[in-house]
Amino acid sequence: MNILVVDDEKEIADVIELYLQNDQYTVYKFYTGEEALECIKTTKIDLAILDILLPDIDGFEILKQIRESYTFPVIMLTAKTEDIDKITGLTLGADDYIPKPFNPMELVARVKAQLRRYIQYNEGPAKEEGDEVIDFGGLFLDRTSHECIYNEKPLTLTPIEFDILWLLCENRGKVISSQELFEKVWHEKYYKNSNNTVMVHIRHLREKMGGSSGNSDFIKTVWGVGYKVEA
């Protein structure tokens, strides 16, 4: 697996590289955004770890350019802890967000979790006939190919966005709380700030499903309870 690491703090980048290499990952390490973007064009990357504050291009801009063409997981790594930075990264398509200082072993665990999701998303196991497709209300989801079509238009979804939409559609007519969504999709313990993560991804899904006409109302908000799609 090829991991892209971008951080202008050499000591931090070196530590990340060491821990990832100890787990047999191939690491492409850079200290500037321009070098990282050039690498992405010529190398198959399976996951990226991006610092936000870089000397040339900030991590948000790199993330934005990645999401224009690629769906591999992106983990934002930064000393900035404000919620607005986390929300900005998630809105642009980040899959995870780890503030500095961090435990290198936790970072490796997060990398493994994101790669497991990404592999399952792209190479999901065969399922019983009828279990792998959802088709209703103008929406078509194929869990085997991870194809998503809404109102006859294909949508490019990240693995997390696909999982959220699948869970809501699989339980259509039922209200799914933010806590249940987070714990079933992210497979992590739910905390107060986890609700913001769910909200941002729901907003992103609505924007993609709404297209040029604006936000879609396919996903309903049940205030104070959670989210649902109509049966």
Side-chain angles (χ1 to χ4, degrees):
M1 288 288 197
N2 297 331
I3 311 295
L4 176 73
V5 175
V6 190
D7 197 316
D8 65 330
E9 296 183 69
K10 186 176 185 299
E11 295 80 4
I12 292 178
D14 290 349
V15 167
I16 296 173
E17 180 183 38
L18 176 63
Y19 274 79
L20 289 174
Q21 288 179 338
N22 284 343
D23 269 272
Q24 309 305 312
Y25 294 112
T26 300
V27 179
Y28 294 84
K29 179 181 64 177
F30 301 99
Y31 307 123
T32 67
E34 289 286 2
E35 292 176 309
L37 288 173
E38 286 301 315
C39 174
I40 292 170
K41 294 176 184 177
T42 59
T43 307
K44 180 185 179 298
I45 297 298
D46 297 295
L47 181 143
I49 300 172
L50 307 178
D51 186 27
I52 289 181
L53 298 178
L54 296 169
D56 51 353
I57 305 173
D58 69 37
F60 290 143
E61 179 59 29
I62 299 174
L63 172 61
K64 184 178 178 181
Q65 293 192 37
I66 287 174
R67 283 293 171 254
E68 288 175 355
S69 304
Y70 305 98
T71 60
F72 59 73
V74 176
I75 297 175
M76 304 302 293
L77 183 67
T78 176
K80 303 183 74 174
T81 57
E82 292 87 345
D83 281 345
I84 187 62
D85 294 310
K86 181 174 182 178
I87 290 172
T88 298
L90 293 171
T91 300
L92 291 173
D95 297 276
D96 204 350
Y97 187 103
I98 303 178
K100 300 175 184 177
F102 61 91
N103 183 325
M105 294 180 66
E106 179 187 356
L107 176 61
V108 172
R110 297 285 190 96
V111 166
K112 290 179 178 179
Q114 291 299 331
L115 286 172
R116 280 197 301 269
R117 181 192 302 278
Y118 185 58
I119 291 169
Q120 183 179 14
Y121 178 86
N122 288 284
E123 305 172 9
K127 301 185 180 297
E128 294 297 323
E129 184 69 25
D131 288 346
E132 74 276 14
V133 170
I134 289 176
D135 187 0
F136 82 103
L139 177 71
F140 175 84
L141 290 174
D142 187 325
R143 205 170 190 175
T144 302
S145 64
H146 292 274
E147 180 182 15
C148 177
I149 299 174
Y150 183 58
N151 290 338
E152 301 182 352
K153 290 186 177 181
L155 302 182
T156 301
L157 304 182
T158 66
I160 285 179
E161 290 167 352
F162 188 96
D163 286 351
I164 290 173
L165 192 55
W166 181 274
L167 180 62
L168 290 171
C169 291
E170 194 174 39
N171 294 276
R172 52 188 175 276
K174 300 178 183 179
V175 179
I176 306 296
S177 69
S178 292
Q179 179 172 347
E180 183 178 355
L181 260 176
F182 186 84
E183 291 179 348
K184 286 188 174 180
V185 172
W186 277 265
H187 304 291
E188 295 179 15
K189 184 175 176 57
Y190 181 87
Y191 294 100
K192 182 178 179 181
N193 287 340
S194 302
N195 184 54
N196 290 335
T197 301
V198 173
M199 287 175 60
V200 168
H201 281 82
I202 292 289
R203 185 201 314 158
H204 219 206
L205 268 171
R206 285 171 170 159
E207 290 171 352
K208 288 185 176 183
M209 297 178 78
S212 59
S213 63
N215 286 340
S216 166
D217 61 357
F218 186 88
I219 300 173
K220 311 286 187 183
T221 298
V222 181
W223 294 108
V225 185
Y227 304 93
K228 73 172 185 176
V229 298
E230 299 292 354

